[in-house]
Amino acid sequence: MRAARELLKELEYEVMSGSIDVNVNDLVYNTAKVTKECIFVCIKGMAYDSHEAAAQVASAGAVVIVAEHPVEVPEGITLVLVKDTRYALALISEAYFDYPAKKLKVIGITGTKGKTTTAFMIRSILEHAGIRTGLIGTIETIIGERHIPADNTTPESYAIQEDFAQMVAAGCQVVVMEVSSQGLKLHRTAGIFFDLGIFTNLAPDHIGPGEHESFEEYLECKSRLFRQCKVGIANIDDAYCMQVLQGHTCELETYGFSKEADLRASRMELISRPGYLGAAYEVSGLEHFHVEIDLPGKFSVYNSLVAIAVCRHFAIPREIMLEALREAKTKGRIEKVKVSDDFTLMIDYAHNAMSLESLLTTLREYEPRRLVCLFGCGGNRSRLRRFEMGEVSGRLADLTVITSDNPRFEEPQAIIDDIKTGIQKTNGAYVEIPDRKEAIRYVIANGQPGDVIVLAGKGHEDYQEIRGVKHPMDERVLIQEVLAEMKEGRD
């Protein structure tokens, strides 16, 4: 049992009825999970406002209800009003789990692109150095030996604090987490003081209904991280760097290719051989050494450079950094899958025009004999994305293979037809193969020496959503099935 007064002590609040000198045995914010003698926090969501269920929640056993405005509750129930219940949930959760962030070194990464790969690189280096490190991100949450698939890039504040507490129990010393603009906007990270805050880059994204009203709001939300961290590490090459850092309250370090960067990359070389695409560069400024990474392109250099910038704060030997960077892999992020000695095949999560253009532009720099792009688009999402991705692939790939992604409640052929509309604005060659496994079979069977083939859009996802049902579908499994069937056919 916990005293309600103790859980509320970091908040400004007004007691409208009852007493906060009451004990509670649970913290709940979901009406379906109300328990006896719990404290319940009302949340206004996109589709449902649990303020409307206050009386029902009290009848189910809640003894304290936290709300943003007066609601009807039975006599004897404590009603507490706060300005923002999402902010309140974050601070109450922190207290409920006994302030676990204070027992960890917390690293937060924000930006439009690169968060996931950078988080895994940082964790790889720290783990190589014997520093037990938890992770919270787009793909999964890692707590000790447990890998839990993620629903959101930045979970709800209660889940973050619960994860932190479990990391402490598992012996973690550090946690590295992706901090999304939505997470910052909705106060999911409120109350957390980050030891290190990272800014990767910024481009218009997540703007529209249910996300951000404008690019200006998107930028402002990103900037909040640098008012709740001790040291900020920012990409000085990004056009929006100074705007994101405006009003910061942290110490600052910068990284990038610029001569003004505190940690600089220079003399970048692209390394290419059959089945391998990588990069090498020199680090100077705060550190001085040569780096080679088993990942392609300039954006991979940025990701590895910021990982170095972070891990130098842990006094990790250079040899360990270099070894960890060579071995760092992120599921579904430029993930190479060996299928041939003649050509390169990779899986990547690129699922919008901006990320696909960045990926294909990078791969084009390696001068492949052919650049082949296989992708589809999700159903019940903006049709504009389909037109744009089709146009990008038609312009940058030598061959586009249009297939199915997550059609959801739409017909796959209708989505494919929209993608074709975009491709037809270009002179790009394409074929359409709706069945994703057959599309993969086609690109492998027709791969030519020197080709680079990218399967885009699914990345780490291991399912295909059709008419409300998620069917198992992992591209890695499909590739192995295709290879086995091709071998059996030859035999």
Side-chain angles (χ1 to χ4, degrees), residues 214-270:
S214 64
F215 178 67
E216 288 71 25
E217 184 196 272
Y218 177 57
L219 186 153
E220 193 280 326
C221 287
K222 293 286 191 188
S223 74
R224 295 179 189 180
L225 179 61
F226 302 96
R227 295 191 287 278
Q228 62 181 97
C229 70
K230 181 180 178 181
V231 177
I233 301 176
N235 177 4
I236 198 172
D237 296 345
D238 190 82
Y240 297 102
C241 180
M242 292 303 108
Q243 288 172 260
V244 168
L245 295 176
Q246 191 170 1
H248 72 85
T249 56
C250 57
E251 300 172 30
L252 278 183
E253 292 179 11
T254 58
Y255 69 96
F257 284 80
S258 168
K259 290 181 180 179
E260 279 72 49
D262 296 316
L263 192 71
R264 298 184 292 282
S266 61
R267 300 179 187 174
M268 187 183 81
E269 301 174 60
L270 302 180

Side-chain angles (χ1 to χ4, degrees), residues 1-21:
M1 300 286 281
R2 304 289 298 277
R5 181 184 292 276
E6 280 298 302
L7 297 181
L8 296 165
K9 68 180 181 181
E10 302 293 336
L11 286 166
E12 292 184 8
Y13 59 88
E14 183 179 359
V15 180
M16 302 299 291
S17 65
S19 167
I20 59 170
D21 291 315

Side-chain angles (χ1 to χ4, degrees), residues 311-323:
C311 291
R312 61 179 295 276
H313 283 268
F314 293 84
I316 293 172
R318 181 181 307 171
E319 300 73 29
I320 291 178
M321 282 197 196
L322 294 173
E323 181 182 347

Side-chain angles (χ1 to χ4, degrees), residues 387 390-391 394-395 402 416-428 430 432:
F387 304 144
E391 188 171 351
R395 176 164 46 85
I402 314 170
I416 287 171
D417 289 343
D418 282 344
I419 295 171
K420 284 160 58 179
T421 298
I423 290 182
Q424 287 163 357
K425 293 180 181 179
T426 74
N427 296 319
Y430 69 90
E432 54 180 287

Side-chain angles (χ1 to χ4, degrees), residues 56 101 150 169 325 487:
Q56 170 193 329
L325 286 173
K487 183 177 186 297

